[in-house]
Amino acid sequence: MTRLPGVSGRDCVKALERVGFFLRRQEGSHMILRRNDPFAQVVVPDHKELDRGTLRSIIRSAGLGVDEFLRLL
């Protein structure tokens, strides 16, 4: 299992935007991103550093692998 680095919420959003996600809306400190084809929706907290479990869940919900996500950073 690949070790995840410390990533901020904003950096995570930038990486997801590279694979077709866009900011749908923001509620407080949570940014909701969506991709239409194939459909996926993820919630990314706008924190200075995401917990590794939270980041792993976001990557899984986006339909990406950890290695693929790391290349997007």
Side-chain angles (χ1 to χ4, degrees):
M1 188 177 286
T2 305
R3 184 150 169 87
L4 289 170
V7 177
S8 72
R10 303 258 170 147
D11 290 339
C12 180
V13 168
K14 288 177 188 175
L16 292 174
E17 285 176 342
R18 292 186 185 107
V19 289
F21 282 88
F22 60 93
L23 184 64
R24 178 74 176 183
R25 67 183 186 276
Q26 183 167 352
E27 295 180 12
S29 66
H30 289 79
M31 298 175 282
I32 293 89
L33 289 96
R34 178 179 280 182
R35 177 179 63 196
N36 290 326
D37 190 32
F39 180 80
Q41 184 167 302
V42 295
V43 178
V44 180
D46 188 12
H47 296 164
K48 288 184 180 179
E49 186 171 341
L50 298 175
D51 290 335
R52 284 179 173 73
T54 303
L55 181 57
R56 194 171 295 278
S57 175
I58 291 168
I59 293 169
R60 190 178 313 119
S61 297
L64 302 172
V66 173
D67 293 330
E68 185 179 358
F69 179 78
L70 292 176
R71 280 192 299 273
L72 294 171
L73 291 175

